[in-house]
Amino acid sequence: MTDVPPPWRPPWVRAAKAGWPVAASVVVGVVQVVGTSVASRHQTGREPLDAFAVVLLLLGPALLVFRRRRPVAVLVGTTAVTGVYLVAGYPYGPMFFSMVVAFVVAVQAGHRRAAWACAGVFYLVHLLVSYVLPASWRRPPDGQTFSGWQELGVTAWLLLVFAAAELIRFRREQMAAVRAAEAESERRRADEERLRMARELHDILAHSISLIHVQAGVALELMDTRPEQARTALTTIKAASKEALGEVREVLGTLRTPGSAAPRSPAPGLDRLDELAAQAGHAGLAVTIRAEGTPYELPAARGLAAFRVVQEALTNVLRHSAARRAEVRLEWRADGLVVQVEDPGPAGGTDAGGTGTGLVGMRERVTSLGGTVEAGPSGDAGFRVRAWLPRSAR
């Protein structure tokens, strides 16, 4: 089994995706250095920015280049760099930016515990620098005290970062769930359409080809002795093949592109049962149609399903039974229509080795409309198909 190559993308798209982590890190580095330099002009009692401070301000953004591959390691590194910056007593400013980016990326990647642990360590370092370390180690020097408002601001800032990261994570998970549901729905619709078309093609082709097969055998047997009857069989074959070709074209028309012509004929229904019985009669199968109750108009989908049930049942009689007659019974009830096809048997038709996919498709078609199908032996050697279709959607 060969590996499937990745989809082709233009060179500029690949370059943009490859260069985005570096470009974003450069932007973060510029913001930290420039923003902290501007903010330091309005702060007194802090260590002035020197070469070591600039290195720390650039080291965090440099680590962000690997934030997608190693989110936890990058988060730990940026937290450590920011903590060292605080211990050194350099001015406040946007030096937290790289740590915030690493925190958000780690949360999106599913490393929430690591993100919260690093945030807790950072806040603990801030408290140690402010209140616990010996006075000779504290920054700012000269006995300057730390304001409670400053601590409140740091706490509020951390909580805001937490909330933003969780909100972004929730939003992305929600969008991913919606996309997954849409993809699953699309796959389900495609599968349903594929099964529907398979059932339609099977019902059309199985009936017509079975009829053609029987008539072709009759024509071969009578071609020399009774040419007129052979001509009648060939005429039946021509009519059946023409009708099958037209119905197949209608089914394949459902795959047309937008703007193509609509189907030119309605889907078959119970009004075509006489035509179906006549086709079976040409193949040597006498079909009797009986109706009980007061007929009413069925939705198109249910009418088509009832027609296909009769068509498939008669096809099975031609293929799998030695019987030369069959009975179709329509029972119009208040809750729905009962369609029953009786094959008196015995078995032993022209194709006794079928796969049985016709009955499977029949059940799928009827059950999709809320109905039921029963198929099994009847009498001594016969076979019965009985389907119930509800009058309206359940």
Side-chain angles (χ1 to χ4, degrees):
M1 180 177 176
T2 59
D3 295 334
V4 178
W8 182 86
R9 294 184 178 90
W12 55 87
V13 173
R14 296 196 299 268
K17 289 188 174 182
W20 169 243
V22 176
S25 298
V26 171
V27 172
V28 173
V30 171
V31 170
Q32 288 197 163
V33 173
V34 176
T36 305
S37 299
V38 174
S40 65
R41 301 174 184 175
H42 307 284
Q43 300 180 43
T44 58
R46 309 294 299 180
E47 290 292 324
L49 293 178
D50 52 18
F52 182 63
V54 174
V55 169
L56 292 176
L57 291 174
L58 294 177
L59 182 58
L63 293 174
L64 292 180
V65 174
F66 309 99
R67 63 187 180 277
R68 298 296 180 186
R69 298 180 181 178
R70 299 288 186 270
V72 176
V74 171
L75 176 61
V76 172
T78 54
T79 303
V81 169
T82 308
V84 171
Y85 184 94
L86 288 178
V87 172
Y90 291 119
Y92 286 98
M95 78 291 185
F96 305 104
F97 197 11
S98 58
M99 190 184 74
V100 170
V101 173
F103 180 89
V104 173
V105 171
V107 171
Q108 307 312 310
H111 304 288
R112 301 173 65 192
R113 293 185 178 179
W116 283 78
C118 288
V121 169
F122 169 77
Y123 190 66
L124 180 61
V125 169
H126 184 269
L127 292 178
L128 290 175
V129 170
S130 302
Y131 301 107
V132 179
L133 292 180
S136 58
W137 291 7
R138 292 186 184 179
R139 293 289 188 263
D142 303 330
Q144 181 178 343
T145 59
F146 290 87
S147 170
W149 290 103
Q150 177 178 301
E151 296 303 323
L152 183 61
V154 173
T155 304
W157 174 79
L158 285 176
L159 292 177
L160 181 62
V161 172
F162 293 159
E166 292 295 333
L167 183 62
I168 295 174
R169 179 191 63 82
F170 174 77
R171 178 61 177 170
R172 287 192 175 183
E173 290 180 353
Q174 190 178 39
M175 293 176 62
V178 170
R179 286 194 293 266
E182 291 177 350
E184 179 63 27
S185 177
E186 186 65 26
R187 284 194 298 267
R188 184 167 58 252
R189 286 195 297 269
D191 290 341
E192 291 174 354
E193 181 65 15
R194 178 180 57 82
L195 290 175
R196 186 189 70 80
M197 292 189 62
R199 288 194 297 264
E200 287 289 326
L201 290 173
H202 174 273
D203 292 342
I204 295 170
L205 296 178
H207 175 76
S208 300
I209 292 177
S210 296
L211 183 61
I212 292 171
H213 177 69
V214 172
Q215 292 297 306
V218 172
L220 287 174
E221 291 181 3
L222 301 178
M223 185 174 294
D224 295 329
T225 59
R226 300 178 184 177
E228 290 302 323
Q229 293 186 15
R231 180 183 299 275
T232 302
L234 292 174
T235 302
T236 302
I237 290 175
K238 179 180 179 181
S241 60
K242 180 179 180 180
E243 181 179 358
L245 181 60
E247 292 193 14
V248 168
R249 284 175 175 172
E250 293 293 341
V251 173
L252 296 181
T254 59
L255 296 178
R256 67 188 186 279
T257 57
S260 300
R264 292 170 292 179
S265 60
L270 294 177
D271 56 336
R272 292 183 57 184
L273 284 185
D274 292 336
E275 179 183 340
L276 193 62
Q279 290 179 354
H282 291 311
L285 180 65
V287 179
T288 303
I289 301 176
R290 302 184 186 277
E292 297 181 6
T294 304
Y296 45 79
E297 185 176 356
L298 281 175
R302 287 168 175 75
L304 174 61
F307 178 85
R308 295 303 188 199
V309 167
V310 177
Q311 186 181 52
E312 176 61 27
L314 294 181
T315 300
N316 288 338
V317 176
L318 288 171
R319 295 174 61 188
H320 308 301
S321 176
R324 294 298 86 195
R325 62 185 178 86
E327 181 181 88
V328 177
R329 180 182 174 188
L330 303 178
E331 185 177 347
W332 298 89
R333 297 179 177 178
D335 61 342
L337 172 66
V338 175
V339 180
Q340 180 175 299
V341 181
E342 191 81 24
D343 166 22
T350 59
D351 182 14
T355 61
T357 56
L359 289 176
V360 173
M362 181 192 301
R363 286 193 176 94
E364 290 176 349
R365 182 190 297 276
V366 173
T367 55
S368 67
L369 298 173
T372 58
V373 174
E374 299 175 2
S378 172
D380 295 333
F383 194 84
R384 175 187 297 162
V385 174
R386 183 181 177 89
W388 173 76
L389 287 161
R391 186 169 183 175
S392 59
R394 307 179 70 183

